[in-house]
Amino acid sequence: MPEYKVHQLWPKPIFDTEIPVKQQWLDFAYNSEYERVFIDNADYTKEKYVLNKLPDLKQLILEQVNIFTTDYLKVIDVEFYFLNSWIVKHHPKDWAQDHMHENSLLSGVYYLDTPKDAGGIVFVKGYNEQEIFPMAITPKVSEYNYVTSRQMTFQVNPGKLVIFPSNLMHRVEENKSDKNRYSLAFNLYCRGNDDSFRQKTVIR
């Protein structure tokens, strides 16, 4: 039987790495001032640029952003920078609905305190994403993979850093623990030269 290859064209990459948590970052999260979001399923810090208050963590995350964009994506002539950053506190039974981050290129989450059963992050294939089969004719499969699955759950732990395209739909599972769950979210944009079009474009 001849060997075969399967090429997965145009996938959505998710960068997954670890940065050990420092106690000072935890203390910052625990002692920050929060406000309840209007749909009543999480608390967000009132400060929306928290990484400016945590310069060592900001630099460590940016180093990983550069590894993702430069080493893996082979991006050149642009610099990625933070648009905003905030800490999310999920109380027991809190969760986050399906959403994406608009007006940015890359987004990410750094996990500070994740009790057991506090829930993972779920990436969802949006309705505008190309399917291998049309919605009206979807054959059953014996096992799901990155092509056939409509969602993938990433289990999280303290120190995990996940970076993904901002237009990738995602949600957060319910916090089923009896403790609060803390994560730091951020959005990124870039500036510099973009030669991916026929004419040279400068992004400022």
Short mmCIF file of all heavy atoms in Angstrom, two decimals, residues 9-10 12 125-135 146-150:
data_model
loop_
_atom_site.label_atom_id
_atom_site.label_comp_id
_atom_site.label_asym_id
_atom_site.label_seq_id
_atom_site.Cartn_x
_atom_site.Cartn_y
_atom_site.Cartn_z
N LEU A 9 -3.61 22.85 5.51
CA LEU A 9 -3.36 24.20 5.03
C LEU A 9 -4.06 25.24 5.90
O LEU A 9 -5.18 25.05 6.34
CB LEU A 9 -3.85 24.35 3.59
CG LEU A 9 -3.18 23.45 2.54
CD1 LEU A 9 -3.74 23.75 1.16
CD2 LEU A 9 -1.67 23.65 2.54
N TRP A 10 -3.37 26.34 6.13
CA TRP A 10 -3.93 27.52 6.83
C TRP A 10 -4.53 27.21 8.19
O TRP A 10 -5.67 27.59 8.48
CB TRP A 10 -4.95 28.22 5.92
CG TRP A 10 -4.34 28.54 4.60
CD1 TRP A 10 -3.32 29.40 4.34
CD2 TRP A 10 -4.69 27.97 3.33
NE1 TRP A 10 -3.00 29.40 3.00
CE2 TRP A 10 -3.83 28.53 2.36
CE3 TRP A 10 -5.64 27.03 2.94
CZ2 TRP A 10 -3.89 28.19 1.01
CZ3 TRP A 10 -5.70 26.69 1.60
CH2 TRP A 10 -4.83 27.26 0.65
N LYS A 12 -4.95 27.52 12.39
CA LYS A 12 -4.90 28.60 13.37
C LYS A 12 -3.90 28.18 14.46
O LYS A 12 -4.18 27.29 15.24
CB LYS A 12 -6.28 28.81 13.99
CG LYS A 12 -7.31 29.35 13.04
CD LYS A 12 -7.44 30.84 13.17
CE LYS A 12 -8.62 31.37 12.37
NZ LYS A 12 -8.90 32.76 12.63
N LYS A 125 -14.43 26.57 16.91
CA LYS A 125 -14.44 26.87 15.48
C LYS A 125 -15.67 27.71 15.18
O LYS A 125 -16.81 27.25 15.34
CB LYS A 125 -14.45 25.59 14.65
CG LYS A 125 -14.35 25.83 13.15
CD LYS A 125 -14.35 24.52 12.37
CE LYS A 125 -13.04 23.78 12.52
NZ LYS A 125 -12.98 22.58 11.66
N GLY A 126 -15.47 28.94 14.76
CA GLY A 126 -16.58 29.83 14.47
C GLY A 126 -17.32 29.41 13.21
O GLY A 126 -16.82 28.63 12.39
N TYR A 127 -18.52 29.95 13.03
CA TYR A 127 -19.33 29.59 11.88
C TYR A 127 -18.75 30.12 10.57
O TYR A 127 -19.12 29.67 9.49
CB TYR A 127 -20.76 30.09 12.07
CG TYR A 127 -21.51 29.31 13.13
CD1 TYR A 127 -21.77 29.87 14.37
CD2 TYR A 127 -21.92 28.00 12.89
CE1 TYR A 127 -22.42 29.14 15.36
CE2 TYR A 127 -22.58 27.27 13.86
CZ TYR A 127 -22.83 27.84 15.09
OH TYR A 127 -23.47 27.11 16.06
N ASN A 128 -17.83 31.07 10.67
CA ASN A 128 -17.21 31.58 9.46
C ASN A 128 -15.95 30.82 9.11
O ASN A 128 -15.30 31.10 8.10
CB ASN A 128 -16.87 33.08 9.62
CG ASN A 128 -15.90 33.33 10.76
OD1 ASN A 128 -15.84 32.55 11.70
ND2 ASN A 128 -15.16 34.42 10.68
N GLU A 129 -15.58 29.83 9.93
CA GLU A 129 -14.39 29.03 9.65
C GLU A 129 -14.73 27.94 8.63
O GLU A 129 -15.81 27.34 8.67
CB GLU A 129 -13.87 28.38 10.94
CG GLU A 129 -13.51 29.37 12.03
CD GLU A 129 -12.25 30.14 11.71
OE1 GLU A 129 -11.51 29.73 10.80
OE2 GLU A 129 -12.00 31.16 12.38
N GLN A 130 -13.79 27.67 7.75
CA GLN A 130 -14.00 26.68 6.70
C GLN A 130 -14.08 25.27 7.29
O GLN A 130 -13.24 24.87 8.09
CB GLN A 130 -12.86 26.74 5.68
CG GLN A 130 -13.03 25.82 4.48
CD GLN A 130 -14.22 26.23 3.62
OE1 GLN A 130 -14.40 27.40 3.34
NE2 GLN A 130 -15.01 25.27 3.20
N GLU A 131 -15.10 24.53 6.92
CA GLU A 131 -15.26 23.15 7.35
C GLU A 131 -14.84 22.20 6.24
O GLU A 131 -14.98 22.53 5.06
CB GLU A 131 -16.73 22.87 7.72
CG GLU A 131 -17.21 23.60 8.95
CD GLU A 131 -16.76 22.91 10.23
OE1 GLU A 131 -16.14 21.83 10.15
OE2 GLU A 131 -17.01 23.46 11.31
N ILE A 132 -14.36 21.03 6.61
CA ILE A 132 -14.02 20.04 5.59
C ILE A 132 -15.30 19.50 4.93
O ILE A 132 -15.32 19.20 3.74
CB ILE A 132 -13.17 18.89 6.17
CG1 ILE A 132 -12.71 17.96 5.06
CG2 ILE A 132 -13.91 18.15 7.27
CD1 ILE A 132 -11.67 16.95 5.50
N PHE A 133 -16.39 19.42 5.71
CA PHE A 133 -17.69 19.03 5.19
C PHE A 133 -18.68 20.16 5.47
O PHE A 133 -18.54 20.87 6.46
CB PHE A 133 -18.20 17.75 5.86
CG PHE A 133 -17.29 16.57 5.71
CD1 PHE A 133 -16.67 16.01 6.82
CD2 PHE A 133 -17.05 16.01 4.46
CE1 PHE A 133 -15.82 14.92 6.70
CE2 PHE A 133 -16.21 14.92 4.32
CZ PHE A 133 -15.58 14.37 5.44
N PRO A 134 -19.69 20.33 4.62
CA PRO A 134 -20.69 21.37 4.89
C PRO A 134 -21.51 21.01 6.13
O PRO A 134 -21.64 19.84 6.50
CB PRO A 134 -21.56 21.37 3.63
CG PRO A 134 -21.38 20.01 3.04
CD PRO A 134 -19.96 19.60 3.36
N MET A 135 -22.09 22.04 6.77
CA MET A 135 -22.85 21.82 7.99
C MET A 135 -24.02 20.86 7.79
O MET A 135 -24.39 20.11 8.68
CB MET A 135 -23.37 23.18 8.51
CG MET A 135 -22.30 24.11 9.02
SD MET A 135 -21.60 23.57 10.60
CE MET A 135 -22.96 23.93 11.70
N TYR A 146 -7.71 17.76 15.01
CA TYR A 146 -7.68 19.20 14.77
C TYR A 146 -8.49 19.62 13.55
O TYR A 146 -8.86 20.78 13.42
CB TYR A 146 -6.23 19.68 14.59
CG TYR A 146 -5.44 19.73 15.88
CD1 TYR A 146 -4.15 19.25 15.95
CD2 TYR A 146 -6.00 20.29 17.03
CE1 TYR A 146 -3.41 19.30 17.12
CE2 TYR A 146 -5.29 20.34 18.21
CZ TYR A 146 -3.99 19.85 18.25
OH TYR A 146 -3.28 19.90 19.43
N VAL A 147 -8.78 18.70 12.66
CA VAL A 147 -9.54 19.03 11.45
C VAL A 147 -11.04 18.87 11.69
O VAL A 147 -11.84 19.73 11.31
CB VAL A 147 -9.09 18.16 10.26
CG1 VAL A 147 -9.95 18.45 9.03
CG2 VAL A 147 -7.63 18.40 9.95
N THR A 148 -11.44 17.79 12.32
CA THR A 148 -12.87 17.46 12.42
C THR A 148 -13.53 18.02 13.67
O THR A 148 -14.76 18.12 13.72
CB THR A 148 -13.07 15.94 12.39
OG1 THR A 148 -12.30 15.35 13.46
CG2 THR A 148 -12.61 15.37 11.05
N SER A 149 -12.76 18.36 14.68
CA SER A 149 -13.36 18.86 15.91
C SER A 149 -13.83 20.29 15.76
O SER A 149 -13.19 21.10 15.09
CB SER A 149 -12.36 18.77 17.06
OG SER A 149 -12.90 19.29 18.25
N ARG A 150 -14.93 20.63 16.41
CA ARG A 150 -15.43 22.00 16.41
C ARG A 150 -14.94 22.79 17.62
O ARG A 150 -15.13 24.00 17.69
CB ARG A 150 -16.96 22.02 16.37
CG ARG A 150 -17.55 21.58 15.03
CD ARG A 150 -18.94 22.18 14.83
NE ARG A 150 -18.93 23.63 14.87
CZ ARG A 150 -18.63 24.42 13.84
NH1 ARG A 150 -18.31 23.87 12.67
NH2 ARG A 150 -18.65 25.73 13.97
#
